[in-house]
Amino acid sequence: MDNVNVSEEKPSVSLIFQSLCQFYSNVEPSGLLNLPFTLNKEFDFQPTLAVLETFLTVAAKEFAIAIKSGGDIPEQSQHLIKLLCSLQISLFSWIEQQFDSQSGDADQKELIQEMLLKYVKMVVKKSNDSIQILLDNVKDELPTAKFAIMMSSNKLLEVVLDKTYLSSSVRQMVLLLSHLVHKLSNNYRLSLLNYLMTLTQSMRDLSPHLPDQFFKLDSNYWMSVASDDVVLRTWDIESPHSYENNQQATQVFSCPGATSFVVDFDNKCETEKRYDYLLFTDSRGNKMQFDQKVGTDKWPKNVTFRGSHRLTFLFHSDGSNVEWGYKFKVTAKGFADVQLSALFDLHLAACKLLGKLSAAVLDRQHLMPNEMDFNAVDKDKMAIDLKSDLWSTLLKGGHMESHMLKKSKLNQFLLEMISGDSQLGQQLLKSCADHYVGSNLKKPDLDITILTVFSAFVWHCEPLRESVIQFVESNGSSELDDGIHSAYSYAESMRLYIVDQRQKQKIADEKDNNVNNANDIGEVVKEKAEFLLQISALEKSYFKNKPSRRSSKNIVSVKSSTQHKKTPADTERQFSASGISEKFPEFKFVTEFIKESKWTKSSVIKVLDDRRKQARNTTEVYEFCIKFVDMSTDDSSIFEVIIVLFLQELLGQQSCQCQHYLDWLEGCGIQLENNLRQAYCGIIKRLLEGIQHLQDSRNLNKSVKTAQEMIQATFIHLLGVNWQSFDLDFLLEANIPNLLIQTAKGSVAMRSEILSDITEVEELKEYDQYMTWLNEHKNDVSFSDWYNQIKSTSKFKEKEKAVQMFIAKFCDLLEVDIWCDGCGKSLPGRRYRCLQCTDMDLCATCYAGGVMPQCHLDDHHLIYLMYKCDECNAFITGRRVHCCICDDFDLCFGCFKKEHFPPGHLDSHSTKIFPLMKFQNTQKSDSSLQSYIHQHVWLLFASFTLQMAGTMPSVPTEHTEDNFVAKAGKLHQQCIDQLMFCLQDIPSVDQDVLEETEKSFAKQKEEEFSLHSQERIMGLLGAMIPKENTCSSLSGSIHSFSSEKFLTRLFDIARGETGHESNTQHLAMGLVAKLLHLSSVPTQVVDNAVCQSANIQSPVSCQPQLDGEITINFLFLFGAMCLERSGIDWASSMVSILQDLSSSAIWSPVIEKYISKQINHLGQNDNLTSVFTLFVVSGFPEVMSIGKQVRYSYENSEPRHGVVLNHFPDKYQTFLLDAKSRRRRTVRDEYIDCIMTEVSILNEEHVTKFTSVIKDTVAKIQQGSSITVEETWILSLCLKALHKFLNKAEACDISDEIFGFVQQLSYLAGLGTEFSKQWMLKDLEVLSLMLYTQDKENVEKKFKSPSTKQEELLGHDPKQGLDNAAKICLQTLHDDLNIPLSVVRVMYDMNNKDTSELLATVRDNLADNSNFIPSEEIKKMAKKMGEAPSSSS
């Protein structure tokens, strides 16, 4: 074997070597390596490597001969390849075995890794030489005749693919090495990265010359690869029949490369209901449980689990009742294997290995505290607090080298002052001693210790360092800063602490008989202080406003001091109380480090060393990533297979994800931090360059499109960190706000518009069916009863899709909750619905992001449920008939053809018919990355925006001009500008003409994003607005919101002049109200914004006008317009806004002036403005409109605050969001109260006016004169306002003449209404207001007279929604104990809807056979339910 490596070996040697290879290729050859079973320190691995090198050399020589000979490879060389592969497996198996057996021996681990590294280096060198030989022949313009024949006959592919060591042993080594990555140390991983990089570089150089073997992503080869799923593996699972009790059977189905699992159940499958079940869990944690019988809703015959390569099965049975059991077949499906050339496959495997090695180096799990590991080997490291703020403040600068310390003049001066070798130092100490006011404990042995602590205070406090430097440079002539004297006094207070700790230690030693305890507390404090002098000092900004993982322990307690003689113990309390620790936070951190016993010098040095090494390694990996991308890039395009695979492994193999690239590296040193920051930002910039190079992605090859999405997702992942103040320069340079928004716009799913081909006959047939079902539902008790009846029919399967479409159209009338199948949120209004899926709805956000729920496909058509029919109140899902005369009037085609017109619309009105538009994906994609990118990048933008908005409030007032705040403010402004630009980019919709305009693809995406992101943009703007108590010191942060341009845009949106949706208009007005409450928003600016938005000329009046009067006039007029056109929801919101503003010191005088003016003009041409003004004064009816703030009780809990999401009046239920927990829940109306603000500006003059209006109106009624609807409302609201005024305590002194109209009121009250006495005032108000706002002229056509069908107007049944057992229980208590049903129902709800608990509560309250007496709370809730408890109860 030694002779076989010579250049010209004898034929006999070659024959003998071939014979050996042939022999050992068929037997176990590991003995050739001479590897010991148990590793010891004397083991020499050089002979082993020499054996392997011999085989590699011969294999490389055979490769070179094959290339030169035109591909003629002798058959005997295959024995060599087999033997080399076998020896390589033996080597790696032995290495892995030694790793597992030598887990605690660091030296032997080092020996194993050194051996592995040298072997890999040897293989890579041989491979690079062989590839270079091939490259030279390929590049040769005049190749040999044999090589030319081999190239032309495609024989090269056969040679390289099947018969050389490159295609076998080298590929094998890469695969085997990937299994050892997690066992290696970081320094060896980095070495392997550098070696393997040369291998990938060699193949990268070769790839352009062999395009038939190295396929680019835009190659036609990928188009020929089958993209359909194929069956990869199957399992047949069956239980005993019948199964046994108390079973717990589990099985894991795993198939690498699988994209889905299909489970087919046998028709006989059956288990005991609820107690025996089958549970399937995929790799993402999604669970599906089945029980009872196959074929039911709970257990379908076929189930598909998507997006997972692993599926876990569990069967559980209890101890009773068994059934037939289960039998099913699991089929793993995925893409078929792609046939690649050996070299290309080796190239891809090497790139994946590079990514895996890089990810292993980046992993910081070993630096994080493992709180569950109490038996850690490194006890010192586990003892200290790795989450403490000391790492990011005091120790952040890291441990300085000795040569760096010598360069610091200040550090040397402090050391000389401690040793007494500096006269200036003695002068400084004398000055401090003269200013010291505390008593000095005479402990000479502590003098050096205290001076060291004092020096540590000075060294780590920037102002004190500057003062001392100035003192030294002036040769002691400059005055010392007062902080120097405070630091000296603070250090002197440590004497008492040391003495106290010595005494405690002495007592403990005596108790433990420990006479020779060498750990003197004074020496420990001195050692720690000396160590702090070796830590790099930081600027003061590092100690302020640092984000912490948890609050630091407050060593210095704050106590109030009394007037007595100061002692050393009082000195520390005095400094803390006087704000010294707040003025110099460095003192607190130094004190914490010194006093905490766990913070030993050795443990801190160990952690700092580990972090310094990890910082260097991390920086090197990020720089390697940049180098790898540059090496792999072709024609400035980074969308290459090798880059995609590398990045996938880089992100996917990390066991933990840090919130910031410097997490757990604090203390590595400022220079290393800067290097790491540059490297991290460098890889982001490099990926950004490649992404921006590709402008238009419409015509991309499918493979290139997938690669683009993958790299874009990686780029977004790198941006998803918790950016810190020192990152602001990079964020500004990269223009991060614009970058994130543009990425969100670019990831919008584009869809083409298609005209619906449904005929008029088919549409009318559907309409008739829907109206039949609607009438059937009206005759039933509830929707669930009707649905169960339909579902029980034999033909339900055939018409299930039609039934679901009916429910979607009439969901508001049926009062059915609709949920987004993408994100799961409630959809009370507009949404997108699929026409092919049985029941699939998407919100605007999921629709824009291209979310693909299960079973929904690219070729499915979606429709936008936007318009409602003004007659049947259903969403229009076909042709839409728009009236050109009526204001905002639409009909469905069925109502139009049947001539079912609502009051106000006439048959003579001109109409236009708009066809139904369907939407379909323009570019099919099998990847869910686009949806992930769109959703993720928006979350990043929102998080970043809120972080910038929240950064400035955390800065003290005196630091508002800092450079840091200026940069954060600039980014904050950029975020707002991007959001406002999106709001301006809403496409206009012309109902009269469908225009086909030519727009760029980018412009179409921008408009699509803006159209579907209106609500979340408004919500984000609302979250950014600061609170009132933070605005005084944030003139810069509030400037963007208080600008005239911003306010004008909000008013434009709220007025509905810009094409925004109704919900967006509501939110815009809500933002206006929130801004008006801020004192930092000038009223004059708001007036100018109103004038500009509404084209109002500023009034010229001789009387002085109050600032804000234009705004208040506009809001009242706008509220009156909402009352007339937009319904009670809008009007209710405007009333709440004005009522809240009335409590503001800025707006209260203006509102009072306007209201007084309107009240004084009552009776003179009354209009809607007068009515709306009285609503503001007297209060609007309690309308559960969307967004209404309420106070509610839930399951007998304390009252909570919530926000209404939807209201179901027929069910007497409200769907709301808890303001604190953000949980959604449905609550009955009797447990809810609207939160309203009362306007307290009425006076006796207003009351007199109300009295006059009431007298005049009642007099008209007595005379039989007709009064207008406005006059009726004014009468009602004046009475309501007068009632509120008289109920107040301060209204007790009203003169008697006000009550002169009592007889008129008695006459008015005696007229009667024909309503049931169970109607409450607020319900009557809502009903009359709805009648008034919907149709003032034809009220009788829309609502039946209360005398004709009074049962429709009665309060709701307290037994509604209960099962039979609960109804019987409630009725029995009512009949036997004479307890009102409403009281019993309230108690039933408060006792968790449990009849047993209800009966127990009633029994406990029946003492001595007395009558049941409900509490006041129960009475109140029962009254809200509509039936007040009787007096006898």
Side-chain angles (χ1 to χ4, degrees), residues 190 193-195 197-198 200-201 204 354 358 619-633 642-643 646 679 682-683 686-687:
L190 291 171
L193 279 176
N194 295 324
Y195 294 152
M197 181 68 169
T198 61
T200 57
Q201 179 69 61
R204 183 71 182 85
L354 291 177
S358 300
T619 303
E620 190 171 343
V621 167
Y622 286 135
E623 291 174 347
F624 173 84
C625 293
I626 299 173
K627 191 186 305 181
F628 178 83
V629 173
D630 290 337
M631 180 270 295
S632 307
T633 301
I642 53 178
I643 296 180
F646 173 79
I683 185 62
R686 184 63 189 90
L687 294 180

Side-chain angles (χ1 to χ4, degrees), residues 181 309 352 354-360 362-363 643-657 710 713-714 717-718 932:
V181 168
H309 67 278
K352 289 187 67 174
L354 291 177
K356 195 170 185 178
L357 286 167
S358 300
L362 293 178
D363 189 63
I643 296 180
V644 171
L645 292 177
F646 173 79
L647 293 177
Q648 278 185 327
E649 294 294 320
L650 179 69
L651 297 183
Q653 294 295 330
Q654 297 184 41
S655 61
C656 63
Q657 300 293 339
M710 169 57 202
T714 304
H717 175 83
L718 293 174
Y932 166 79

Side-chain angles (χ1 to χ4, degrees), residues 93-104 109 112 180 182-183:
S93 299
W94 180 82
I95 290 175
E96 185 170 19
Q97 178 185 0
Q98 297 305 316
F99 268 122
D100 295 336
S101 61
Q102 304 294 338
S103 57
K109 267 191 173 183
I112 299 171
L180 296 177
H182 65 285
K183 299 179 181 293

Side-chain angles (χ1 to χ4, degrees), residues 230-235 260-264 329-333:
V230 297
V231 176
L232 302 179
R233 187 178 175 185
T234 60
W235 297 264
S260 64
F261 286 90
V262 179
V263 183
D264 297 303
K329 181 178 182 179
V330 179
T331 304
K333 294 184 177 182

Side-chain angles (χ1 to χ4, degrees), residues 963-980:
N963 191 31
F964 160 67
V965 181
K967 295 174 183 177
K970 191 173 181 179
L971 288 167
H972 182 251
Q973 180 62 51
Q974 290 178 3
C975 295
I976 296 177
D977 292 342
Q978 290 295 330
L979 294 175
M980 295 309 296

